[in-house]
Amino acid sequence: MGSSYRNNKKYDVFVSFRGEDTRDNFTSHLYSALSRQNIQTFIDDQLNRGDEISESLVNAIEASPISVIIFSESYASSRWCLDELVKILECKKEYAQIVIPVFYRVDPSDARNQTGPFGISFLKLEERFKENPEKLRSWRKALKEAASLSGFHSLNIRCESELINKVVNHILKRLDEVFRPRDNKNQLVGVESTLEEIESLLGVESKGVYALGIWGIGGIGKTAIARAIFDKISGYFEGSCFLENVREESQRPGGLACLRQKLLSNLLKDKNAIPSIDLNFRRLIHMKVLIVFDDVICFSQLESLIGSLDWLTPVSRIIITTRNKQVLRNWGVRKIYEMKALEYHHAIELFSRHAFKQNHPDVGYEELSSKVMKYAQGVPLALKVLGCFLHKREKEVWESAIDKLQRILHPSILEVLKISYDSLDDKEKNIFLDVACFFQGEDVDLVMKFFNASGFYPEIGMSVLVDKSLIAIDSYNKITMHDLLQELGREIVRQESTNPENRSRLWHHEDIYEVLAYNTVM
């Protein structure tokens, strides 16, 4: 479907129907269901029409990426319905408009071949237009083509509310395909397999509310993935809410109360929902809901926001993004998905979109871009920040900036990563800084002995650092740390003083030489 067609849309859905058959029942209920999902839907409310379909009707069809055709028993007795159908199929051919047939108490083969009760209604119209065989041929051709498309059959789904839900969910899915951003700068990179895995995890059968945790270091893309999943599947739930920045918002005066109000208002679609009244939470018992709690740092935040999962139906889904795995354990999260850094080819693409506004580096910048990749180590935040920072700068500036980054962490990256460090106690901070300055890649048992001798209580301290994604223990029993986190630790020590001799730790050979050479060690 052409981008100009997508951008010029006025409606999301055009509904073609026979008024006397379905206006006051199925079509009315479908329209209400679409409206509840904020799907802009055109239905023709005019009871009296002229000889030809109006220009406004033609424009409405052309301005809709999806058309729904409700084939009812007397649909084919209306020349206006058939003219709409012909126009819809023209848009399907010219603009790749999506066409969804709904066979309402009509056999698809009868609509396709103009037989049975459906065919009898067409015969009445055929008698009136026997002098216009070309028109009749176009109608027959349109009926055959449209009725051959994959659609929904009311005789297979006898419960009308269930049929409407299936139609609406299908429309939501197709709209997502139509309007998913095509602009490279706005698209996520290298996350297709992650999205598929998380979506499959959320689709598992569960006797209780299924909660999924997305865990990883700051800037790794947890929020972006959660938002992409939410946007993709929220239409399949009766109520949904994405609570962003729980950590930051909860620190404001009355912040948790505001978040709770937003949660209930969004889920219940009721701006007047009062968060302190249990009745409003009890209303959720009968609803299938999707909730994302983004950037949660402690269990008490979840307790304050929703209290208990007992309010929710077993088919509801909860997603929690956090830097702290212990939060997920405390909440009884069944599955924890660890966010990983981007692979090199995805990292260079994301960086290039911000640095060069294309999917690859400019000629002559390949080697410099490779140095940035080595520094960022696949962290999306770092790739975006550095890409924007280096955009349209000369090579000499790139070289200077890269050299500077080896010694000084970019402020925007520092700000995000330091949040996890600030949440540590003094003993844990000392362990983190020592690992960053001295013990990256060292055997964990030897390091634990050192920390024990220092009175740092390393058994719990190291465990906390692992849970907060600040360090990891590899299969060789070595302590590992992301390069950006190592640089964070060293930058924290550098900021203790401009004078190396007044810093708590020295690791760089130049600083060590300067202090020893002038014999100014404390």
Side-chain angles (χ1 to χ4, degrees), residues 42 225 286 355 445 483:
F42 182 93
I225 283 291
H286 308 290
D445 293 329
D483 288 356

Side-chain angles (χ1 to χ4, degrees), residues 368-385:
L368 289 169
S369 296
S370 183
K371 290 181 179 180
V372 176
M373 294 304 99
K374 184 177 180 181
Y375 174 81
Q377 292 289 304
V379 174
L381 169 73
L383 294 164
K384 293 176 184 178
V385 167

Side-chain angles (χ1 to χ4, degrees), residues 255-302:
L256 280 171
C258 290
L259 286 172
R260 205 169 190 230
Q261 174 73 52
K262 179 182 177 181
L263 176 65
L264 274 176
S265 298
N266 285 10
L267 294 178
L268 298 173
K269 298 182 175 65
D270 179 1
K271 293 181 180 179
N272 298 315
I274 302 174
S276 60
I277 296 180
D278 285 351
L279 173 62
N280 285 318
F281 277 99
R282 288 196 185 97
R283 291 163 64 186
L284 298 176
I285 293 174
H286 308 290
M287 295 177 64
K288 176 184 178 182
V289 301
L290 170 67
I291 306 172
V292 176
F293 295 107
D294 172 56
D295 197 13
V296 177
I297 60 170
C298 61
F299 176 64
S300 61
Q301 291 172 339
L302 293 172

Side-chain angles (χ1 to χ4, degrees), residues 51-76:
D51 290 336
E52 303 291 337
I53 60 173
S54 66
E55 183 179 353
S56 61
L57 211 59
V58 170
N59 291 339
I61 295 171
E62 291 180 344
S64 305
I66 295 178
S67 281
V68 175
I69 304 162
I70 302 173
F71 285 119
S72 56
E73 188 171 300
S74 62
Y75 182 91

Side-chain angles (χ1 to χ4, degrees), residues 25 101 147 196 218 239 264 269 323 347 352 369 382 433 479 502:
N25 43 65
E196 288 175 7
L264 274 176
K269 298 182 175 65
R323 305 169 188 227
S352 297
S369 296
L433 295 178
I479 301 176
N502 295 325

Side-chain angles (χ1 to χ4, degrees), residues 146-172:
S148 298
L149 298 171
S150 176
F152 296 87
H153 193 344
S154 69
L155 298 181
N156 293 336
I157 309 170
R158 291 190 175 276
C159 178
E160 190 166 297
S161 61
E162 183 184 351
L163 173 62
I164 287 173
N165 284 339
K166 286 184 178 293
V167 173
V168 171
N169 286 337
H170 183 69
I171 288 170
L172 283 167

Side-chain angles (χ1 to χ4, degrees), residues 242-260 262 294-297 301 305:
F242 192 106
L243 279 187
E244 201 161 7
N245 296 325
V246 170
R247 172 189 57 80
E248 186 176 329
E249 293 297 324
S250 64
Q251 291 171 352
R252 305 178 192 275
L256 280 171
C258 290
L259 286 172
R260 205 169 190 230
K262 179 182 177 181
D294 172 56
D295 197 13
V296 177
I297 60 170
Q301 291 172 339
L305 289 171

Side-chain angles (χ1 to χ4, degrees), residues 472-520:
I473 311 299
D474 67 15
S475 57
Y476 298 100
N477 208 38
K478 305 289 185 183
I479 301 176
T480 64
M481 172 183 278
H482 194 282
D483 288 356
L484 288 178
L485 289 170
Q486 181 178 40
E487 190 56 37
L488 165 70
R490 293 180 173 186
E491 181 61 24
I492 289 170
V493 173
R494 278 192 289 264
Q495 289 182 4
E496 292 174 353
S497 174
T498 55
N499 222 326
E501 67 182 69
N502 295 325
R503 295 174 188 163
S504 61
R505 295 161 178 84
L506 296 175
W507 65 92
H508 195 277
H509 64 279
E510 291 179 1
D511 293 337
I512 295 171
Y513 175 79
E514 179 183 334
V515 171
L516 294 179
Y518 294 96
N519 196 27
T520 56

